[in-house]
Amino acid sequence: MSVEIVPLNEPLVPYVKSLIAGYINSSSNGVNELDSTSKQLEECEEILNRFLQNSKSYCYVAKFDQDYVGFIVLSWSFSISKGHPVLRIDALYSSPKHRNTGVGRKLMQYAIDIAIENKASRLQLETDDDNAPARNLYNNLGFKLIPGKGVYMAFL
């Protein structure tokens, strides 16, 4: 499977909005990830347009033939203790039809390459405890689960 990774840009928004809806619906909200309403697709288009105005995060889209089949969202921070940048994977998604075909691995490898190229001290991510396929992918790519690290969030 020959997958091309391209940066998200404004002309791609109409083609990628269904992937965003799938990502949102793939969480445990009780909605089938393939069932998106026209209203939800409009909201996803708005989300992507706002995203493109954000200079702190980057989205890369996986293209297979003429279809967009997955995406990864990355953002940079800095490790004061290491003195080098940190690349964070904020979201990773591949369409159900293209899972287990190497799309997720290709997107992850793209992120790894960016981190290495920019001399990042680490590449980090979070995933749900019950997301066994993702955890398996991360383990196979050499990621380590850090025991004792909890995630805290303040919802604003």
Side-chain angles (χ1 to χ4, degrees), residues 12-13 15 32 47 55 57 67-68 70 73 78 85 99-100 102 108 116 126 135 143 151 153:
L12 294 182
V13 167
Y15 303 102
N32 181 320
I47 288 168
S55 63
S57 298
D67 296 323
Y68 295 94
V73 175
F78 193 85
R99 289 195 186 131
N100 299 312
M108 289 293 296
I116 291 169
E126 306 163 2
R135 287 178 177 270
F143 283 71
V151 177
M153 295 182 191

Side-chain angles (χ1 to χ4, degrees), residues 146 148-152:
I146 307 301
K149 289 286 186 181
V151 177
Y152 289 82

